[in-house]
Amino acid sequence: MLESRGMNRNQLASAIHVNFAVVDRWYRGKIEKLDLDILARICYVLDCEVSELLEYCADAEKQG
């Protein structure tokens, strides 16, 4: 989605006022806690819906 918006992770980090490591964790799907404020800022900057960024996977919950 970043590429389609003409952005890279560093530009997104600057736009949402977080450090690169935060965006990198989201990009790689390695977030430990869902920060709704960051999610909202990402959606605002990328002009997208939450459902375009996150996907619920029931199997992942069962592996827990």
Side-chain angles (χ1 to χ4, degrees):
M1 184 171 289
L2 284 172
E3 289 179 11
S4 70
R5 303 300 197 267
M7 296 183 82
N8 61 39
R9 287 176 280 169
N10 195 41
Q11 291 168 320
L12 178 60
S14 293
I16 65 170
H17 306 289
V18 298
N19 64 43
F20 177 83
V22 172
V23 170
D24 190 53
R25 283 192 298 271
W26 278 80
Y27 182 83
R28 297 181 186 282
K30 303 290 183 187
I31 56 173
E32 295 175 11
K33 292 183 187 177
L34 183 60
D35 186 325
L36 296 179
D37 181 54
I38 291 175
L39 178 59
R41 288 188 267 165
I42 291 171
C43 288
Y44 177 78
V45 168
L46 296 180
D47 189 29
C48 67
E49 300 291 324
V50 171
S51 61
E52 295 177 79
L53 299 176
L54 299 178
E55 178 181 2
Y56 173 73
C57 297
D59 292 338
E61 187 176 288
K62 291 177 186 177
Q63 293 175 4

Coordinates of all heavy atoms in Angstrom, one line a residue:
M1 N 0.8 -1.2 0.0 CA 0.0 0.0 0.0 C 0.9 1.3 0.0 O 0.5 2.3 -0.6 CB -0.9 0.0 1.2 CG -1.9 1.2 1.2 SD -3.2 1.1 2.4 CE -4.2 -0.2 1.7
L2 N 2.0 1.2 0.7 CA 2.9 2.3 0.7 C 3.3 2.7 -0.7 O 3.3 3.9 -1.0 CB 4.1 2.0 1.6 CG 4.0 2.0 3.1 CD1 5.2 1.5 3.7 CD2 3.6 3.4 3.5
E3 N 3.7 1.7 -1.5 CA 4.2 2.0 -2.8 C 3.1 2.7 -3.7 O 3.3 3.6 -4.4 CB 4.7 0.8 -3.5 CG 6.0 0.3 -2.9 CD 6.5 -1.0 -3.6 OE1 6.0 -1.4 -4.6 OE2 7.5 -1.5 -3.0
S4 N 1.9 2.2 -3.5 CA 0.8 2.7 -4.3 C 0.5 4.2 -3.9 O -0.1 4.9 -4.7 CB -0.5 1.9 -4.1 OG -1.0 2.0 -2.9
R5 N 0.9 4.6 -2.7 CA 0.7 5.9 -2.3 C 2.0 6.8 -2.5 O 2.0 7.9 -2.1 CB 0.4 6.0 -0.8 CG -0.9 5.2 -0.4 CD -2.1 5.7 -1.1 NE -3.4 5.3 -0.4 CZ -4.0 4.2 -0.7 NH1 -3.6 3.4 -1.7 NH2 -5.2 3.9 -0.1
G6 N 3.0 6.2 -3.1 CA 4.2 6.9 -3.4 C 5.0 7.2 -2.1 O 5.7 8.2 -2.1
M7 N 5.0 6.3 -1.1 CA 5.7 6.5 0.1 C 6.5 5.3 0.5 O 6.3 4.2 0.0 CB 4.7 6.7 1.3 CG 3.8 7.9 1.2 SD 2.7 8.0 2.7 CE 3.9 8.8 3.8
N8 N 7.5 5.6 1.3 CA 8.3 4.5 1.9 C 8.1 4.5 3.4 O 7.4 5.4 3.9 CB 9.8 4.6 1.5 CG 10.4 5.8 2.0 OD1 10.2 6.3 3.1 ND2 11.3 6.4 1.2
R9 N 8.6 3.5 4.1 CA 8.4 3.4 5.5 C 8.9 4.6 6.3 O 8.3 5.1 7.3 CB 9.1 2.1 6.1 CG 8.3 0.9 5.7 CD 9.0 -0.4 6.1 NE 10.0 -0.6 5.1 CZ 11.0 -1.5 5.3 NH1 11.0 -2.3 6.4 NH2 11.9 -1.7 4.4
N10 N 10.1 5.2 5.9 CA 10.6 6.3 6.5 C 9.7 7.5 6.4 O 9.5 8.3 7.4 CB 12.0 6.6 6.0 CG 12.8 7.6 6.8 OD1 12.7 7.5 8.1 ND2 13.5 8.5 6.2
Q11 N 9.1 7.7 5.2 CA 8.2 8.8 5.0 C 6.9 8.7 5.8 O 6.4 9.6 6.4 CB 7.9 9.0 3.5 CG 9.0 9.4 2.7 CD 8.7 9.3 1.2 OE1 8.2 8.3 0.8 NE2 9.2 10.2 0.4
L12 N 6.4 7.4 5.9 CA 5.3 7.2 6.7 C 5.5 7.5 8.2 O 4.7 8.1 8.9 CB 4.8 5.8 6.6 CG 3.5 5.4 7.4 CD1 2.3 6.2 7.1 CD2 3.2 3.9 7.2
A13 N 6.7 7.0 8.7 CA 7.1 7.3 10.1 C 7.1 8.8 10.4 O 6.6 9.2 11.4 CB 8.4 6.6 10.4
S14 N 7.6 9.5 9.5 CA 7.7 11.0 9.7 C 6.3 11.6 9.7 O 5.9 12.4 10.5 CB 8.5 11.7 8.6 OG 9.9 11.3 8.7
A15 N 5.4 11.1 8.7 CA 4.1 11.6 8.6 C 3.2 11.4 9.8 O 2.3 12.2 10.1 CB 3.4 11.1 7.3
I16 N 3.4 10.2 10.5 CA 2.6 9.9 11.6 C 3.3 10.1 13.0 O 2.8 9.8 14.0 CB 2.1 8.4 11.6 CG1 3.2 7.4 11.7 CG2 1.2 8.2 10.3 CD1 2.7 6.0 11.8
H17 N 4.5 10.7 12.9 CA 5.2 11.2 14.1 C 5.6 10.0 15.0 O 5.4 10.1 16.2 CB 4.5 12.2 14.8 CG 4.1 13.4 14.0 ND1 5.0 14.3 13.5 CD2 2.9 13.8 13.5 CE1 4.4 15.2 12.7 NE2 3.1 14.9 12.7
V18 N 6.2 9.0 14.4 CA 6.7 7.9 15.2 C 8.1 7.5 14.6 O 8.4 8.0 13.5 CB 5.8 6.6 15.2 CG1 4.5 6.9 15.8 CG2 5.7 6.0 13.8
N19 N 8.9 6.7 15.4 CA 10.2 6.4 14.8 C 10.0 5.3 13.8 O 9.0 4.5 13.8 CB 11.2 6.1 15.9 CG 10.9 4.9 16.7 OD1 10.4 3.8 16.2 ND2 11.1 5.0 18.0
F20 N 11.1 5.1 13.0 CA 11.1 4.1 11.9 C 10.8 2.7 12.4 O 10.1 1.9 11.8 CB 12.4 4.2 11.2 CG 12.5 3.1 10.1 CD1 11.9 3.4 8.8 CD2 13.1 1.9 10.3 CE1 12.0 2.4 7.8 CE2 13.2 0.9 9.3 CZ 12.6 1.2 8.1
A21 N 11.3 2.4 13.6 CA 11.1 1.0 14.1 C 9.7 0.6 14.3 O 9.3 -0.5 14.1 CB 11.9 0.8 15.4
V22 N 8.8 1.6 14.7 CA 7.4 1.4 14.9 C 6.8 1.0 13.5 O 6.1 0.0 13.4 CB 6.7 2.6 15.5 CG1 5.2 2.4 15.5 CG2 7.3 2.8 16.9
V23 N 7.0 1.8 12.5 CA 6.5 1.5 11.2 C 7.0 0.2 10.7 O 6.3 -0.6 10.1 CB 6.8 2.7 10.2 CG1 6.4 2.3 8.8 CG2 6.0 3.9 10.7
D24 N 8.3 0.0 10.9 CA 8.9 -1.3 10.4 C 8.2 -2.5 11.0 O 8.0 -3.5 10.3 CB 10.4 -1.3 10.7 CG 11.1 -2.4 10.0 OD1 11.0 -2.6 8.8 OD2 11.8 -3.2 10.7
R25 N 7.9 -2.4 12.3 CA 7.2 -3.6 12.9 C 5.8 -3.8 12.3 O 5.4 -4.9 12.1 CB 7.1 -3.4 14.5 CG 8.4 -3.6 15.2 CD 8.2 -3.7 16.7 NE 7.7 -2.4 17.3 CZ 8.5 -1.5 17.7 NH1 9.8 -1.6 17.6 NH2 8.0 -0.4 18.2
W26 N 5.1 -2.7 12.1 CA 3.8 -2.8 11.4 C 4.0 -3.4 10.0 O 3.2 -4.3 9.6 CB 3.1 -1.4 11.3 CG 2.4 -1.0 12.6 CD1 2.9 -0.5 13.7 CD2 1.0 -1.1 12.8 NE1 2.0 -0.2 14.6 CE2 0.8 -0.6 14.1 CE3 -0.1 -1.6 12.1 CZ2 -0.5 -0.6 14.7 CZ3 -1.3 -1.5 12.7 CH2 -1.5 -1.0 13.9
Y27 N 4.9 -2.9 9.3 CA 5.2 -3.4 7.9 C 5.5 -4.9 7.9 O 5.0 -5.6 7.0 CB 6.3 -2.6 7.4 CG 6.7 -2.9 5.9 CD1 6.0 -2.3 4.9 CD2 7.7 -3.7 5.6 CE1 6.3 -2.5 3.6 CE2 8.0 -4.0 4.3 CZ 7.3 -3.4 3.3 OH 7.6 -3.7 2.0
R28 N 6.2 -5.3 8.8 CA 6.6 -6.7 8.9 C 5.6 -7.6 9.6 O 5.7 -8.8 9.7 CB 8.0 -6.9 9.5 CG 9.1 -6.2 8.8 CD 10.4 -6.4 9.4 NE 11.5 -5.6 8.8 CZ 12.1 -6.0 7.7 NH1 11.7 -7.1 7.0 NH2 13.0 -5.2 7.1
G29 N 4.5 -7.0 10.1 CA 3.5 -7.8 10.8 C 4.0 -8.3 12.2 O 3.5 -9.3 12.7
K30 N 4.9 -7.6 12.8 CA 5.5 -8.0 14.1 C 5.0 -7.1 15.3 O 5.8 -6.9 16.2 CB 7.0 -8.0 14.0 CG 7.6 -8.8 12.9 CD 7.4 -10.3 13.2 CE 8.0 -11.1 12.1 NZ 7.8 -12.5 12.2
I31 N 3.8 -6.6 15.2 CA 3.3 -5.7 16.3 C 2.9 -6.6 17.5 O 2.4 -7.7 17.3 CB 2.2 -4.8 15.9 CG1 1.0 -5.6 15.3 CG2 2.7 -3.8 14.9 CD1 -0.2 -4.7 15.0
E32 N 3.3 -6.2 18.7 CA 2.9 -7.0 19.9 C 1.6 -6.5 20.5 O 0.9 -7.2 21.0 CB 4.1 -6.9 20.9 CG 5.3 -7.6 20.4 CD 6.5 -7.4 21.3 OE1 6.3 -6.9 22.4 OE2 7.6 -7.7 20.9
K33 N 1.4 -5.1 20.5 CA 0.2 -4.5 21.0 C -0.4 -3.7 19.9 O 0.4 -3.0 19.2 CB 0.5 -3.7 22.2 CG 0.9 -4.4 23.4 CD 1.1 -3.3 24.6 CE 1.7 -4.0 25.8 NZ 1.9 -2.9 26.8
L34 N -1.7 -3.7 19.8 CA -2.3 -2.9 18.8 C -2.6 -1.5 19.3 O -3.4 -1.3 20.2 CB -3.7 -3.5 18.3 CG -4.4 -2.9 17.2 CD1 -3.6 -2.8 16.0 CD2 -5.7 -3.6 17.0
D35 N -1.9 -0.5 18.8 CA -2.0 0.8 19.3 C -3.0 1.5 18.3 O -2.7 1.8 17.1 CB -0.7 1.6 19.2 CG -0.7 3.0 19.8 OD1 -1.7 3.6 19.6 OD2 0.3 3.4 20.4
L36 N -4.2 1.8 18.8 CA -5.3 2.3 17.9 C -5.0 3.7 17.4 O -5.4 4.1 16.3 CB -6.6 2.3 18.6 CG -7.1 0.8 19.0 CD1 -8.4 0.9 19.7 CD2 -7.2 0.0 17.7
D37 N -4.2 4.5 18.2 CA -3.8 5.8 17.8 C -2.9 5.7 16.5 O -3.1 6.5 15.6 CB -3.2 6.6 18.9 CG -2.8 8.0 18.5 OD1 -3.7 8.7 18.0 OD2 -1.6 8.3 18.6
I38 N -2.0 4.8 16.6 CA -1.1 4.7 15.5 C -1.8 4.2 14.3 O -1.6 4.6 13.1 CB 0.1 3.8 15.8 CG1 1.1 4.5 16.8 CG2 0.9 3.4 14.6 CD1 2.2 3.7 17.3
L39 N -2.7 3.2 14.5 CA -3.5 2.6 13.4 C -4.3 3.7 12.7 O -4.4 3.8 11.5 CB -4.4 1.5 13.9 CG -5.3 0.9 12.9 CD1 -4.6 0.3 11.8 CD2 -6.2 -0.1 13.6
A40 N -4.9 4.6 13.5 CA -5.7 5.7 13.0 C -4.9 6.6 12.2 O -5.3 7.1 11.1 CB -6.4 6.4 14.1
R41 N -3.7 6.9 12.7 CA -2.8 7.9 11.9 C -2.4 7.2 10.6 O -2.3 7.9 9.6 CB -1.6 8.3 12.8 CG -2.0 9.2 13.9 CD -0.8 9.8 14.6 NE -0.5 8.9 15.8 CZ 0.6 8.9 16.5 NH1 1.6 9.7 16.1 NH2 0.8 8.1 17.5
I42 N -2.1 6.0 10.6 CA -1.7 5.3 9.4 C -2.8 5.3 8.4 O -2.6 5.7 7.2 CB -1.2 3.8 9.7 CG1 0.1 3.8 10.5 CG2 -1.1 3.1 8.3 CD1 0.5 2.4 11.0
C43 N -4.0 5.0 8.8 CA -5.2 5.1 7.9 C -5.4 6.5 7.4 O -5.7 6.6 6.2 CB -6.4 4.6 8.7 SG -6.4 2.8 9.0
Y44 N -5.2 7.5 8.2 CA -5.4 8.8 7.8 C -4.4 9.2 6.7 O -4.8 9.7 5.6 CB -5.3 9.8 9.0 CG -5.5 11.2 8.6 CD1 -6.7 11.8 8.3 CD2 -4.3 12.1 8.5 CE1 -6.8 13.1 8.0 CE2 -4.5 13.4 8.1 CZ -5.7 13.9 7.8 OH -5.8 15.2 7.4
V45 N -3.2 8.9 7.0 CA -2.1 9.3 6.0 C -2.2 8.5 4.7 O -2.0 9.1 3.6 CB -0.7 9.1 6.7 CG1 0.4 9.2 5.6 CG2 -0.5 10.2 7.8
L46 N -2.5 7.2 4.8 CA -2.6 6.4 3.6 C -4.0 6.5 3.0 O -4.2 5.9 1.9 CB -2.3 4.9 3.9 CG -0.9 4.7 4.4 CD1 -0.6 3.2 4.7 CD2 0.2 5.2 3.4
D47 N -4.9 7.2 3.6 CA -6.3 7.3 3.1 C -6.9 5.9 2.8 O -7.3 5.6 1.7 CB -6.3 8.2 1.9 CG -7.8 8.5 1.4 OD1 -8.7 8.6 2.3 OD2 -8.0 8.7 0.2
C48 N -6.9 5.1 3.9 CA -7.5 3.8 3.7 C -8.3 3.4 4.9 O -8.4 4.1 5.9 CB -6.3 2.8 3.5 SG -5.3 2.6 5.0
E49 N -8.9 2.2 4.9 CA -9.7 1.7 5.9 C -8.9 0.7 6.7 O -7.9 0.1 6.2 CB -10.9 0.9 5.4 CG -11.9 1.8 4.6 CD -12.6 2.8 5.4 OE1 -13.0 2.5 6.6 OE2 -12.8 3.9 4.9
V50 N -9.3 0.5 8.0 CA -8.6 -0.5 8.9 C -8.5 -1.8 8.2 O -7.5 -2.5 8.2 CB -9.2 -0.5 10.2 CG1 -8.7 -1.7 11.1 CG2 -9.1 0.8 11.0
S51 N -9.6 -2.2 7.6 CA -9.7 -3.6 7.0 C -8.7 -3.8 5.8 O -8.4 -4.9 5.5 CB -11.1 -3.8 6.5 OG -11.5 -2.9 5.5
E52 N -8.2 -2.7 5.3 CA -7.1 -2.8 4.3 C -5.8 -3.0 4.8 O -4.8 -3.4 4.1 CB -7.1 -1.5 3.4 CG -8.4 -1.3 2.6 CD -8.4 0.0 1.9 OE1 -7.7 0.1 0.8 OE2 -9.0 1.0 2.4
L53 N -5.6 -2.8 6.2 CA -4.3 -3.0 6.8 C -4.3 -4.3 7.7 O -3.2 -4.9 7.8 CB -4.0 -1.8 7.7 CG -3.9 -0.5 7.0 CD1 -3.7 0.6 8.0 CD2 -2.8 -0.5 6.0
L54 N -5.4 -4.6 8.3 CA -5.4 -5.7 9.2 C -6.3 -6.8 8.7 O -7.4 -6.6 8.1 CB -5.9 -5.2 10.6 CG -5.1 -4.2 11.3 CD1 -5.8 -3.8 12.6 CD2 -3.7 -4.7 11.5
E55 N -6.0 -8.0 9.1 CA -6.8 -9.2 8.7 C -6.8 -10.1 10.0 O -5.8 -10.4 10.6 CB -6.1 -9.9 7.6 CG -6.9 -11.2 7.2 CD -6.2 -11.9 6.0 OE1 -5.1 -11.4 5.6 OE2 -6.7 -12.9 5.6
Y56 N -8.0 -10.6 10.3 CA -8.2 -11.5 11.4 C -7.9 -12.9 10.9 O -8.5 -13.3 9.9 CB -9.6 -11.4 12.0 CG -9.9 -12.4 13.0 CD1 -9.3 -12.4 14.3 CD2 -10.7 -13.5 12.7 CE1 -9.6 -13.3 15.2 CE2 -11.0 -14.5 13.7 CZ -10.4 -14.4 14.9 OH -10.6 -15.3 15.9
C57 N -7.1 -13.6 11.6 CA -6.8 -15.0 11.3 C -7.1 -15.9 12.5 O -6.3 -15.9 13.4 CB -5.3 -15.1 10.9 SG -4.9 -14.2 9.4
A58 N -8.2 -16.6 12.4 CA -8.6 -17.5 13.5 C -7.5 -18.5 13.8 O -7.3 -18.9 15.0 CB -9.9 -18.2 13.2
D59 N -6.9 -19.1 12.8 CA -5.8 -20.1 13.0 C -4.7 -19.6 13.9 O -4.2 -20.3 14.7 CB -5.3 -20.6 11.7 CG -6.3 -21.4 10.9 OD1 -7.3 -21.9 11.5 OD2 -6.2 -21.5 9.7
A60 N -4.3 -18.4 13.7 CA -3.2 -17.8 14.5 C -3.6 -17.8 16.0 O -2.8 -18.0 16.9 CB -2.9 -16.4 14.1
E61 N -4.9 -17.5 16.3 CA -5.4 -17.5 17.7 C -5.3 -18.9 18.3 O -4.9 -19.1 19.5 CB -6.8 -17.0 17.7 CG -7.3 -16.8 19.1 CD -8.7 -16.2 19.1 OE1 -8.9 -15.0 18.8 OE2 -9.7 -16.9 19.4
K62 N -5.6 -19.9 17.6 CA -5.6 -21.3 18.0 C -4.1 -21.8 18.3 O -3.9 -22.6 19.2 CB -6.2 -22.2 17.0 CG -7.7 -22.0 16.9 CD -8.3 -22.9 15.8 CE -9.7 -22.6 15.6 NZ -10.3 -23.4 14.5
Q63 N -3.2 -21.2 17.6 CA -1.8 -21.6 17.8 C -1.2 -21.1 19.1 O -0.3 -21.7 19.6 CB -0.9 -21.2 16.6 CG -1.2 -21.9 15.3 CD -0.5 -21.3 14.2 OE1 0.4 -20.4 14.3 NE2 -0.8 -21.7 13.0
G64 N -1.8 -20.0 19.5 CA -1.5 -19.2 20.7 C -0.5 -19.6 21.6 O 0.2 -19.3 22.3

